[in-house]
Amino acid sequence: MAYVSRPSIHASTVEERRAYVRKKYACIADCDACGLCKLFHQQDPETALADYIDGRAELPEVMMRYR
């Protein structure tokens, strides 16, 4: 699998950022193995990362909220 760099909010569209989040944080329907539900406090990744997807904040800033 090729590495895909995170799209900057200044150099990408909402659709590109949403596609990145969907690919990077895809649910594998096995919470014990995946851990995304726990990471995002039982939220869907698109909901949890909405500020990034909508261009209000860069991804690292949004991810800090879940540390």
Side-chain angles (χ1 to χ4, degrees):
M1 177 192 254
Y3 175 76
V4 177
S5 64
R6 169 181 31 93
S8 164
I9 62 173
H10 301 292
S12 63
T13 66
V14 170
E15 293 80 18
E16 290 170 326
R17 293 187 296 273
R18 180 171 283 115
Y20 174 79
V21 168
R22 284 181 178 165
K23 184 171 180 112
K24 177 82 173 168
Y25 300 104
C27 178
I28 60 171
D30 185 2
C31 291
D32 291 333
C34 174
L36 287 177
C37 294
K38 187 178 240 182
L39 172 68
F40 294 123
H41 306 279
Q42 309 308 328
Q43 294 183 67
D44 176 81
E46 285 188 58
T47 301
L49 302 175
D51 282 348
Y52 168 66
I53 292 170
D54 294 336
R56 292 187 292 267
E58 288 289 355
L59 187 59
E61 180 182 341
V62 177
M63 291 298 288
M64 289 298 292
R65 300 173 193 167
Y66 296 97
R67 288 188 160 245

